[in-house]
């Protein structure tokens, strides 16, 4: 770099390009190592221990994992995570539909697009509060609507069978907006000649969409699926704000259950919490690996 | 363009579309509109059961003043700025350096390192939670703004590096080559040639990271306990617990908390979307 040692100008000049990348990388990589990479391994290590976060750690091997196998709350969380994953993916086709609806050129459409995107910019805490209020029995807009339609009141967030669906619906709101923006950009980059050629050949409606438009939207679809899957598995804020896992733990997901075990008033079971986090991490790794393989293939091609 | 432009489909379709558009928007933003209206509702309305009707009067000034007067929300907002601004500067700065290194040089392990940054970006926060909290405690930074900033900088550097590296890869490499022939040092190449070209990427990432960090809630609950360093997301949730049934105040607080990223988005819209949709167009 600019401040090379005057004693070794020749050495620096000759080897500058070998050292430069490492010097450029050092600060960022070091931070990332300390705060992201090392903690992953530490968590795995902690998951083999019994630890309250303060005292000494006691090695218990796979003890925490064995306990997980017979823990009903763990299965509830896991099941909810699967429900999250499946239903959250609805954001992808819904986002595509919204993008197709908005992909027109009329006056003010730009403003419409940005207003539709709004929910994504707002914090999940605010989204959670809004929907809690929306669902509130007696006066919430949603429960008023249900009452008008069915004649009975439903307290969504207090109902063990409905609560997870209620939270997911809140989560879908910003997520659909996100997918919509991805697709709007994708639609922007579609080759108009291919569309025209397709139309000339008599392709219309569904046929044109399925065979000509959708294949060109593949990159957008890929990103939309990745961010939605990751978002579904990471879901924490909404569960925490809307129900704190209740009623009776029925809306817990792995990320929230982990937090509860490790850091809530129920106790500081760091080892057990870490074990839950490791399970979540392994599930996530399946998707991350898939994503990385595709990226690697892209790198090789370019 | 797909679908067929409405103008081509005749006046009826076009008119129907123009009518449908605002209706769809209102339904889509109904929860938000509800909150906005409630935030200006007089408290008497809530007591009288008028939760969703026309407000009986305008109490916006009262409600918003009450939020700032009766709660530490101003302090929380200030904390959020104290956390968010240094994080943006730190993460974007570090990732410019990292992205440059990974895009411009061919060295052993560069692709591997790049993939580590990418992968780190997608892991669940919970696997970092216990060790990061522990580390922050040991450094004496638990319950401080600095503790949060350091973690956010480190974590966001992963995403930013992915972005920066791909952006620099797209720049004309011949510029760098010819500078090298001239004997310009690597550092000067970075500062004088590459950095000025990175302005759009820097703008895009700054807005995006601002929004991400402003909206963070998880780390705010893990690394902060008291009011001293609490950002507005966690603060708002705490207030919600205190203001039972005072929905007009909770609503006003929500609007206040949501404002900075929303304004950021409106002013920097193009950059924001460019940042989000990276990779959605090619590949």
């Amino acid at each position: 770099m600019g401040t090379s040692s005057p004693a070794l100008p020749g050495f620096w000049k000759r080897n500058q390009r070998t050292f430069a990348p490492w010097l450029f990388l050092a600060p960022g990589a070091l931070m990332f190592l300390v705060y992201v990479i090392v903690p992953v391994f530490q968590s795995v290590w902690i998951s083999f221990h019994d630890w309250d976060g303060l005292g000494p750690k006691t090695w218990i091997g796979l003890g925490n994992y064995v306990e997980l196998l017979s823990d009903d709350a763990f299965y509830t969380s896991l099941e909810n995570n699967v429900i999250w994953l499946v239903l959250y993916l609805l954001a992808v086709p819904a986002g595509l539909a919204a993008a197709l609806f908005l992909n027109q050129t009329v006056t003010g459409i730009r403003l419409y697009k940005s207003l539709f995107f709004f929910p994504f910019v707002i914090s999940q805490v605010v989204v959670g509060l809004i929907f809690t209020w929306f669902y509130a029995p007696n006066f919430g807009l949603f429960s008023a609507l249900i009452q008008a339609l069915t004649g009975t009141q439903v307290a969504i967030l207090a109902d063990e069978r409905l609560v997870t669906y209620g939270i997911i619906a809140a989560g879908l709101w910003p997520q659909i907006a996100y997918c919509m923006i991805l697709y709007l950009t994708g639609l922007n980059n579609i080759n108009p000649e291919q569309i025209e050629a397709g139309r000339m050949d008599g392709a219309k409606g569904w046929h044109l969409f399925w065979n000509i438009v959708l294949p060109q939207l593949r990159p957008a679809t890929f990103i939309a699926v990745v961010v939605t899957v990751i978002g579904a598995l990471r879901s924490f804020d909404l569960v925490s704000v809307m129900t704190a896992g209740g009623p009776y733990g029925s809306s817990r997901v792995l990320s929230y259950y982990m937090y509860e075990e490790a850091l809530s008033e129920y106790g500081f079971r760091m080892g057990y919490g870490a074990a839950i986090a490791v399970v979540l991490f392994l599930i996530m790794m399946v998707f991350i690996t898939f994503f990385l393989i595709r990226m690697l293939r892209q790198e090789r091609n370019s | 363009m797909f679908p067929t432009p409405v103008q081509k489909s005749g006046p009826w379709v076009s008119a129907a579309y123009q009518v449908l558009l605002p209706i769809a928007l209102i339904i889509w933003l109904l929860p938000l509109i509800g909150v906005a209206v409630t935030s200006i509702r007089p408290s008497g309305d809530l007591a009288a059961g008028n939760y969703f009707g026309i407000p009986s009067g305008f109490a916006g000034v009262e409600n918003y003043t009450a939020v700032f007067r009766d709660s530490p929300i101003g302090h929380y907002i200030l904390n959020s700025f104290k956390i968010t601004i240094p994080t943006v500067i730190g993460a974007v700065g570090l990732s410019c350096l990292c992205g440059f290194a990974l895009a411009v040089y061919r060295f052993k392990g560069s692709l591997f390192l790049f993939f580590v940054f990418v992968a780190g970006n997608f892991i669940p926060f919970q696997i970092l939670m216990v060790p990061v909290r522990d580390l922050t405690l040991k450094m004496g930074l638990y319950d401080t703004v600095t503790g949060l900033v350091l973690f956010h900088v480190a974590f966001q550097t992963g995403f930013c590096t992915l972005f920066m590296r791909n952006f620099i890869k797209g720049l004309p490499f011949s510029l760098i080559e010819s500078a090298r022939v001239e004997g310009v040092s690597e550092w000067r190449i970075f500062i004088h040639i590459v950095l000025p070209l990175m302005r759009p990427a820097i703008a895009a990432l700054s807005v995006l990271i601002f929004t991400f960090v402003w909206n963070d809630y998880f780390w705010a609950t893990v690394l902060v306990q008291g009011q001293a360093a609490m950002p507005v997301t966690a603060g708002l949730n705490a207030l919600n617990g205190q203001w039972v049934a005072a929905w007009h105040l909770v609503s006003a607080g929500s609007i206040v908390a949501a404002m900075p990223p929303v304004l950021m988005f409106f002013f920097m819209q193009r950059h924001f979307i460019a940042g989000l949709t990276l990779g959605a167009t090619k590949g």
Side-chain angles (χ1 to χ4, degrees), chain B residues 92 96 163-164 167-168 171 191-207 268 271:
Chain B
V92 171
C96 281
F163 186 100
M164 288 298 186
F167 185 85
I168 299 173
L171 296 176
I191 291 288
H192 295 293
I193 298 173
V194 176
L195 208 53
L197 295 173
M198 285 168 80
R199 257 190 227 141
I202 292 172
L205 277 181
S206 302
V207 231
M268 307 279 282
H271 295 297

